[in-house]
Amino acid sequence: FDVLQVHAQGGLGVVFLARDHEIERTVALKQIKSQWADDEDSRARFLLEARITGRLEHPGIVPIYALGADATGRPYYAMRLIRGESLLEVLTRFHATDVASKLTERMPELRKLLQRFVDVCNAVDYAHSKGVIHRDLKPSNIMVGKYGETLVVDWGLAKVIGSDEDVALTTRMVRQPESEGGATSTRIGTTIGTPAYMSPEQAAGRNDELGPPTDIYSLGATLYHMLTGELPHADDDDMGVMIARAEHGK
């Protein structure tokens, strides 16, 4: 792979556009960030993400092409390059005008959005059938393409049901989140996920209780956002949201 340019960045890894010379195609190549490259837990979490994603073979989940390490030993994995935009961008544009006042006119567009949501549900249902929960479902982690593609991305916090490996790793990897703010923040620590979309048990940090219903709750929150253009919970105070959700179970 020849790295071309930076495509996107997350908390643990950076995604590059890269050229695969064997098949002559452009791919997305994700590599662990240099500041985490020598941290044993971070490397293990990165490799676990690649292996979990790689075992999920579904049209709604990005396929992994290869897993390896560069000359310095930093791990990377190559995956399909998604050409499109996030569902969050689509929803922001959709709700930029008063949808309610033009409901009849915009109904075809709304139906297309709801079909996208059904596609996401099918991909998540497939993952659950393989014993994997996502734990960070939200519009910004759903990519849509202009040819009808709908893909659930960023399985960096995914958990294999019945395995404690990912919980132990994620809990030890306590660090300050990126300064994205609000609903787009993913916290890595005892409580993980995005406050505005997480279930009560997730907000309370009860990681041993997480299962498929955790993702289903996040799907419901995503649907609420899709239909109303608003978050199901105010996101101006992430910690306040988590405390309220954990205490009231809402």
Side-chain angles (χ1 to χ4, degrees):
F1 301 101
D2 282 343
V3 173
L4 304 177
Q5 64 187 63
V6 174
H7 181 60
Q9 294 199 48
L12 187 59
V14 55
V15 179
F16 299 93
L17 293 181
R19 189 67 181 168
D20 178 351
H21 285 293
E22 290 187 351
I23 304 182
E24 292 299 321
R25 61 183 172 185
T26 302
V27 301
L29 191 146
K30 186 170 185 177
Q31 187 169 44
I32 192 169
K33 285 185 173 180
S34 57
Q35 62 262 44
W36 304 112
D38 295 326
D39 180 77
E40 184 177 344
D41 287 341
S42 297
R43 289 170 68 94
R45 176 72 241 184
F46 183 87
L47 293 172
L48 185 63
E49 173 188 348
R51 291 178 179 126
I52 288 176
T53 309
R55 77 172 69 166
L56 299 176
E57 300 180 278
H58 187 275
I61 300 172
V62 181
I64 301 295
Y65 296 146
L67 175 64
D70 66 11
T72 67
R74 286 172 60 191
Y76 68 80
Y77 61 90
M79 55 188 165
R80 174 185 170 188
L81 174 63
I82 306 170
R83 299 188 185 277
E85 56 187 340
S86 73
L87 181 61
L88 179 61
E89 294 172 295
V90 174
L91 294 182
T92 299
R93 187 168 60 248
F94 179 73
H95 287 284
T97 57
D98 187 354
V99 178
S101 66
K102 302 180 180 179
L103 188 58
T104 302
E105 178 184 331
R106 306 197 68 187
M107 187 58 73
E109 191 175 353
L110 179 59
R111 286 197 183 99
K112 289 181 181 179
L113 285 174
L114 290 172
Q115 184 56 57
R116 298 276 194 182
F117 180 75
V118 171
D119 292 341
V120 171
C121 290
N122 285 331
V124 173
D125 186 36
Y126 168 80
H128 290 172
S129 76
K130 297 298 182 181
V132 175
I133 58 174
H134 188 284
R135 293 198 295 184
D136 199 19
L137 291 169
K138 55 187 176 182
S140 61
N141 279 343
I142 298 165
M143 297 296 294
V144 299
K146 63 179 181 179
Y147 300 111
E149 311 97 315
T150 306
L151 298 115
V152 180
V153 300
D154 198 349
W155 295 77
L157 296 183
K159 168 181 168 58
V160 179
I161 299 171
S163 170
D164 294 329
E165 179 185 10
D166 63 307
V167 174
L169 287 172
T170 308
T171 302
R172 289 199 298 267
M173 291 163 56
V174 178
R175 62 179 183 271
Q176 292 297 315
E178 300 289 326
S179 56
E180 297 177 52
T184 57
S185 296
T186 296
R187 300 180 182 277
I188 297 183
T190 302
T191 300
I192 55 177
T194 302
Y197 299 94
M198 65 171 58
S199 65
E201 68 273 14
Q202 196 170 3
R206 300 194 300 268
N207 293 325
D208 58 329
E209 298 179 17
L210 304 189
T214 303
D215 280 348
I216 293 171
Y217 187 103
S218 298
L219 287 172
T222 297
L223 179 60
Y224 182 96
H225 188 169
M226 178 178 289
L227 295 175
T228 67
E230 300 177 356
L231 296 173
H233 302 278
D235 70 326
D236 55 348
D237 180 2
D238 286 352
M239 188 56 67
V241 170
M242 290 192 289
I243 291 173
R245 305 278 295 294
E247 290 180 347
H248 301 293
K250 297 179 180 180

